[in-house]
């Protein structure tokens, strides 16, 4: 889609990255805990929620890009220049000008929303990295506490809720 490739490219990269990050969290959890432990399952469930939130945002991103992609900016700008070049525009010209500006505004709103979705996903990806680092630092010799796990699980659940809260 003309003018929207960078959004699509970033979304595609996020799709790959969130899968990798979830796999990493899963592997680290397996290294630190038994998959039969409740904490393991709760933690993994929270990480999966973050994963699904990112995927939902990417689905929304595709919709917004499809919508914005049908608005031909070059055509609109050419029509606006033609109307602006008229020394005595008609009422129909003025109405068309207003409609064309409205279409450009709609496209900008869609791309702004796409940018917000991508930004939320970047935040989620960063938090998944932080969680991975925290898991890697946990000791399996009893020196970590249930509070450490509860804090991390709560953070993941909060992140999952926030990652998909932008729904205009």
């Amino acid at each position: 889609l003309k003018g929207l490739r960078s959004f699509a490219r970033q979304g595609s990269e996020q799709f790959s990255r969130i899968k990798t990050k979830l796999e990493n969290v899963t592997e680290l959890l397996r290294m630190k805990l038994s998959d039969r432990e409740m904490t393991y399952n709760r933690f993994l469930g929270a990480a999966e929620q973050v994963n699904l939130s990112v995927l939902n945002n990417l689905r929304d991103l595709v919709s917004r890009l499809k919508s914005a992609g049908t608005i031909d900016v070059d055509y609109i700008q050419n029509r606006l220049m033609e109307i602006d070049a008229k020394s005595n525009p008609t009422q129909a010209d003025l109405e068309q000008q207003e409609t064309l500006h409205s279409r450009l505004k709609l496209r900008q709103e869609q791309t702004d929303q796409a940018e917000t979705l991508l930004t939320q996903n970047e935040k989620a990806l960063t938090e998944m990295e932080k969680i991975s680092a925290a898991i890697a630092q946990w000791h399996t010799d009893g020196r970590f506490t249930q509070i450490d796990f509860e804090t991390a699980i709560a953070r993941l659940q909060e992140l999952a809720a926030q990652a998909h809260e932008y729904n205009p």
Side-chain angles (χ1 to χ4, degrees), residues 20-80:
T20 301
K21 291 183 189 325
L22 180 60
E23 289 169 353
N24 189 51
V25 167
T26 303
E27 186 176 330
L28 285 167
L29 283 171
R30 284 187 185 132
M31 292 170 61
K32 300 292 182 169
L33 300 169
S34 165
D35 61 1
R36 292 185 293 270
E37 290 183 55
M38 184 186 303
T39 302
Y40 171 91
N41 290 315
R42 288 183 60 223
F43 207 101
L44 185 58
E48 288 171 344
Q49 287 176 343
V50 174
N51 178 65
L52 291 175
S53 293
V54 169
L55 295 177
N56 283 336
N57 282 353
L58 291 173
R59 186 190 67 230
D60 289 352
L61 174 72
V62 169
S63 297
R64 296 199 190 284
L65 294 180
K66 278 189 155 300
S67 171
T70 63
I71 299 172
D72 188 339
V73 175
D74 292 339
Y75 167 80
I76 294 170
Q77 289 174 339
N78 287 336
R79 281 299 302 139
L80 288 171

Side-chain angles (χ1 to χ4, degrees), residues 131-148:
I131 293 299
S132 291
I135 295 169
Q137 293 174 11
W138 288 338
H139 300 280
T140 55
D141 60 3
R143 291 191 305 194
F144 60 88
T145 65
Q146 189 66 25
I147 294 169
D148 295 331

